[in-house]
Amino acid sequence: MAKSGKRIRNAREGIDREHLYGLDEAVEMIKSRASAKFDETIEVAMNLGVDPRHADQMVRGVVNLPNGTGRTVRVAVFARGDKAEEAKAAGADIVGAEDLVEQIQGGKIDFDRCIATPDMMGLVGRLGKVLGPRGLMPNPRVGTVTPDVTAAVKASKGGAVEFRVEKAGIVHAGVGKASFDLKAITENIRAFADAVIKAKPSGAKGNYVQRVAVTSTMGPGVKIDPSSLNQASA
């Protein structure tokens, strides 16, 4: 415990908790302090000027990170016949129909992303109460209900990240690993920020991006000057 506390104190050293750092400097600080025995995930969090309880202020979407996420994503696909074969060929980990519904209803959910062909949604609809709260329900708005299962599986495996604003107006995502180089992480953060900015809902009033911070799994948070993300929305 003492060793863990010392590591945290060392990681926080030199970071002004109130200062807004430029994106490159913030990422460099996080990378240099990622000292866990595993490859820590780099996360970005954005506080938005929205109240997601109102339908016209919901922020949701998907972004393909240019340098991937660095994590292995297990993909399940609801499909039959040729589409099921397509999904398997594209690298899906689990493919099924009624059998997959039974498996999920039985409590076995060993996947990170779920895709369905449009004709399967009547079946998948039965799983709303199970998949919905976990953020796994297929949705056409984020490309997970589609006849093009090959593209959807490859996007999921290659760095597609879904985002959805939480009750407090925060949207966050893993955008890479501490082992990534500085350029790869900053490019991913800019791509993520760009997607969130483009997803600005019609009901959002005033300052949309209020605060941005970056952190690693075991590290401290570093606040980012939102203006240093301007390249993303240019």
Side-chain angles (χ1 to χ4, degrees):
M1 193 74 178
K3 192 182 283 186
S4 170
K6 186 179 179 185
R7 187 185 57 74
I8 292 167
R9 281 198 304 276
N10 290 343
R12 285 179 177 159
E13 204 171 300
I15 295 175
D16 182 340
R17 303 292 289 275
E18 299 309 312
H19 184 71
L20 298 181
Y21 293 90
L23 177 58
D24 286 15
E25 186 181 4
V27 171
E28 186 58 65
M29 293 172 88
I30 290 296
K31 265 179 64 65
S32 65
R33 287 165 171 76
S35 58
K37 291 179 179 175
F38 61 93
D39 194 5
E40 296 182 46
T41 296
I42 304 294
E43 285 215 358
V44 64
M46 300 174 71
N47 291 62
L48 306 177
V50 296
D51 182 349
R53 290 174 299 180
H54 300 288
D56 67 346
Q57 294 187 47
M58 173 53 70
V59 180
R60 184 174 189 177
V62 65
V63 56
N64 285 306
L65 299 180
N67 302 296
T69 61
R71 65 186 281 251
T72 301
V73 178
R74 284 183 59 80
V75 178
V77 178
F78 283 93
R80 287 194 179 98
D82 291 347
K83 292 296 178 185
E85 293 309 312
E86 258 185 60
K88 288 173 188 171
D93 299 278
I94 306 162
V95 181
E98 283 82 3
D99 54 333
L100 184 50
V101 170
E102 282 179 29
Q103 184 179 311
I104 292 167
Q105 285 175 332
K108 191 178 179 188
I109 303 173
D110 57 350
F111 52 85
D112 309 296
R113 198 164 166 88
C114 188
I115 294 162
T117 54
D119 60 300
M120 297 297 288
M121 285 310 291
L123 194 63
V124 179
R126 300 179 203 166
L127 300 169
K129 288 182 180 174
V130 182
L131 297 180
R134 292 174 170 82
L136 291 170
M137 192 68 182
N139 187 304
R141 285 179 59 190
V142 293
T144 47
V145 177
T146 174
D148 192 350
V149 291
T150 298
V153 170
K154 287 183 175 175
S156 296
K157 290 280 189 180
V161 170
E162 278 187 56
F163 58 86
R164 181 175 181 155
V165 70
E166 296 171 356
K167 285 179 185 174
I170 298 169
V171 62
H172 64 87
V175 289
K177 295 287 185 181
S179 61
F180 284 20
D181 64 31
L182 180 68
K183 185 169 181 282
I185 297 171
T186 56
E187 282 177 355
N188 278 359
I189 290 174
R190 285 199 162 100
F192 178 75
D194 189 30
V196 172
I197 290 165
K198 284 177 178 168
K200 181 179 179 179
S202 58
K205 301 288 186 284
N207 186 19
Y208 178 53
V209 179
Q210 298 185 336
R211 289 188 298 281
V212 184
V214 63
T215 186
S216 66
T217 308
M218 306 293 286
V222 177
K223 292 180 180 176
I224 295 173
D225 181 351
S227 69
S228 68
L229 298 172
N230 280 352
Q231 185 179 329
S233 54

